[in-house]
């Protein structure tokens, strides 16, 4: 049986809707992983030990166990304790926190690498510790890790396919549905791959723009 | 505290571990006075300067500015509030500028006045323009620090400090990291401040500059003030053997470089 893409166009609507959900999850989880990464990094470096200790356990949980399991835990596990999240929300939280932990590692290292002259310059003007962190140290630390965080965002986009297992109708699950009706896995998976690739190109272009804007100030 | 003293440092001592960097230093500076601190590397000049604004708190002794004790012993939270407040009155300029690379020149200058003094954006912008005009860098207001020469960076750093309208300016080897041809533009700005009677304490290796702008010169060695006096005395007829040795060596090195 040869390839026959003629069945694909009638499912374009389904696939594009799936692509829309994939983009929505990536943006939602991406933002959560960015801001969550900053919060986790600051808590890990400057928090009281009663915050740092649970953070370490939390970080270990998210880095040392499969993302798939984490998604099951958040979606199905939490129902048991009375928290019934919509699949999309559970997916964004799972994916976002997972990558927030990775971003936090990057940002922590980057915060520690900020020159001590920056603290002195700021404190000498009268800025408090917190003000110095917020306005001087964190912006510089974050700017410095935009390229590796960009790589995490691309990994996040690809891993968003995992959210299909909790029933979010994103691109991968949408293709599977089309396949279950047409029995044309090769055609639909290839089409989905092409769409992922296009979304990826868009994401990379956006990241390059951000990097260029930062470079302009270097 | 004496009547005229603007800054008074009393029995200042500082140790890093077992190593005594400052040993019983006393210093008073009057309003509008310009004091140079000279001395060999490691003698404690920076540490003394940095003790004045609590960047390197003293182990014992007192630092006063206009009747306010800077290094008051206070509970942690109150202490933080106190130092953040008094530091607003003490401008400091570093050897390596310490400009904020992620902010433009304007952002560098307006940040603290906006955050700490509640200036509006318009007021802060006006202030930045004023201070930049003063250091001759009006056209650089929207540049990032990375686009400036060392001399320009240091002038922006001075403008940034002045924007807080400090009562005193501390300079820690402000020109030491600069290429020789860029030193003069920074010295000129400092001379201009001297003419405006800004109170200044200047740690420097440039004896000619110290001689030309300062009212008093302190020679430090191994954590003590060995000798102090007007520049003509310290530079031309120092009494202390250590001062003479230092100046002789320094002169030889300066000539060797030329
Ligand atoms: N944070 C620190 N921890 C330990 N020792 C320190 C610290 N800061 C300074 N010192 C030591 O204190 C001594 C005085 O240092 P300081 O920087 O005040 O000297 P300085 O007179 O400014 O020298 P230079 O002309 O090289 O700048 C030096 O021996 C230095 O190694
Ligand atoms: Mg020094």
């Amino acid at each position: 049986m040869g390839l026959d893409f003629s069945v694909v166009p009638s499912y374009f609507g389904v696939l594009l809707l799936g692509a829309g959900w994939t983009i929505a999850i990536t943006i939602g989880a991406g933002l959560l992983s960015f801001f969550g990464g900053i919060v986790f990094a600051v808590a890990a470096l400057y928090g009281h030990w009663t915050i740092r200790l649970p953070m370490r356990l939390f970080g270990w949980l998210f880095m040392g166990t499969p993302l798939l399991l984490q998604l099951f835990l958040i979606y199905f596990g939490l129902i048991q304790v009375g928290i019934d999240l919509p699949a999309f929300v559970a997916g964004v939280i799972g994916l976002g926190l997972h990558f927030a932990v990775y971003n936090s590692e990057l940002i922590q290292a980057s915060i520690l690498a900020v020159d001590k002259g920056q603290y002195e310059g700021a404190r000498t003007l009268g800025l408090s510790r917190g003000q110095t962190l917020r306005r001087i140290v964190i912006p510089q630390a974050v700017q410095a890790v935009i390229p590796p965080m960009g790589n995490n965002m691309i990994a996040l986009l690809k891993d968003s396919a995992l959210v299909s297992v909790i029933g979010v109708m994103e691109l991968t699950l949408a293709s599977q549905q089309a396949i279950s009706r047409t029995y044309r896995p090769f055609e639909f998976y290839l089409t989905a791959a092409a769409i992922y690739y296009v979304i990826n190109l868009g994401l990379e272009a956006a990241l390059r723009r951000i990097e260029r804007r930062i470079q302009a100030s270097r | 505290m004496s009547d005229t003293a603007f800054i008074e440092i009393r029995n200042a001592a500082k140790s890093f571990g077992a190593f005594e960097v400052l040993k019983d230093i006393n210093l008073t500076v009057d309003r509008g006075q310009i004091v140079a601190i000279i001395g060999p590397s490691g003698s404690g000049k920076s540490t003394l300067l940095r003790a004045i604004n609590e960047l390197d708190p003293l182990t014992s002794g007192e630092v006063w500015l206009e009747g306010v004790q800077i290094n008051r012993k206070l509970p942690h939270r109150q202490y933080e509030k106190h130092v953040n407040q008094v530091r607003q009155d003490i401008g400091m300029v570093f050897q390596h500028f310490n400009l904020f690379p992620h902010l433009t020149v304007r952002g560098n200058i307006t940040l603290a006045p906006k955050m700490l003094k509640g200036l509006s954006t318009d007021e802060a912008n006006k202030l930045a323009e004023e201070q930049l005009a003063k250091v001759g860098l009006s056209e650089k207001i929207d540049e990032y620090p990375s686009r400036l020469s060392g001399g320009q960076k240091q002038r922006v750093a001075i403008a940034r400090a002045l924007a807080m309208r400090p009562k005193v300016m501390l300079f820690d080897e402000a020109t030491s990291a600069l290429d020789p041809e860029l030193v003069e533009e920074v010295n000129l700005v400092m001379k201009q401040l001297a003419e405006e009677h800004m109170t200044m304490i200047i740690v420097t290796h440039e004896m000619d500059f110290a001689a030309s702008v300062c009212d008093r010169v302190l020679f430090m060695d191994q954590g003590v003030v060995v000798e102090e006096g007007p520049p003509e005395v310290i530079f031309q007829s120092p009494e202390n053997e250590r001062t003479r040795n230092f100046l002789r060596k320094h002169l030889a090195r300066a000539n060797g470089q030329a």
Side-chain angles (χ1 to χ4, degrees), chain B residues 34-45:
Chain B
I34 299 160
V35 176
I37 303 179
I38 62 170
S41 185
S43 55
K45 306 180 296 294

Side-chain angles (χ1 to χ4, degrees), chain A residues 117-118 120 123 135 218, chain B residues 50 87 98-99 102 146:
Chain A
Q118 292 294 306
E120 295 185 346
R123 296 305 304 277
R135 301 296 296 269
R218 291 278 159 83
Chain B
R50 293 159 58 88
R87 278 177 181 154
N98 298 347
L99 291 180
H102 62 303
S146 58

Side-chain angles (χ1 to χ4, degrees), chain B residues 40-47 50 95 172-173 203 205:
Chain B
S41 185
S43 55
K45 306 180 296 294
S46 297
T47 308
R50 293 159 58 88
Q95 187 175 350
D172 192 359
E173 300 196 33
V203 170
H205 286 296

Side-chain angles (χ1 to χ4, degrees), chain A residues 148-161:
Chain A
M149 268 210 285
N151 293 338
N152 282 353
M153 295 298 169
I154 287 164
L156 186 152
L157 163 64
K158 290 186 283 190
D159 282 355
S160 71

Side-chain angles (χ1 to χ4, degrees), chain A residues 72-145:
Chain A
F72 284 148
L73 208 62
I74 291 173
Y75 186 56
F76 299 113
L78 287 183
I79 291 179
Q80 231 177 310
V81 293
I83 304 172
D84 187 0
L85 297 170
F88 174 78
V89 174
V92 164
I93 291 177
L95 209 54
L97 290 183
H98 182 85
F99 280 93
V101 171
Y102 284 96
N103 285 341
S104 159
E105 298 285 317
L106 291 172
I107 295 167
Q108 281 179 53
S110 184
I111 286 177
L112 294 175
V114 169
D115 179 33
K116 89 180 203 312
Q118 292 294 306
Y119 293 86
E120 295 185 346
R123 296 305 304 277
T124 297
L125 290 166
L127 268 66
S128 69
R129 270 173 219 278
Q131 289 169 328
T132 302
L133 265 185
R134 270 202 312 282
R135 301 296 296 269
I136 306 300
V137 176
I138 290 171
Q140 288 181 46
V142 169
Q143 279 188 4
V145 291

Side-chain angles (χ1 to χ4, degrees), chain A residues 172-200:
Chain A
T172 301
L173 191 55
S175 339
Q176 268 165 5
Q177 280 219 329
I179 291 162
S180 68
R181 297 210 191 112
T182 60
Y183 305 105
R184 286 277 170 195
F186 212 59
E187 287 84 345
F188 278 101
Y189 283 140
L190 276 179
T191 307
I195 297 174
Y196 272 115
Y197 185 69
V198 170
I199 299 173
N200 210 331

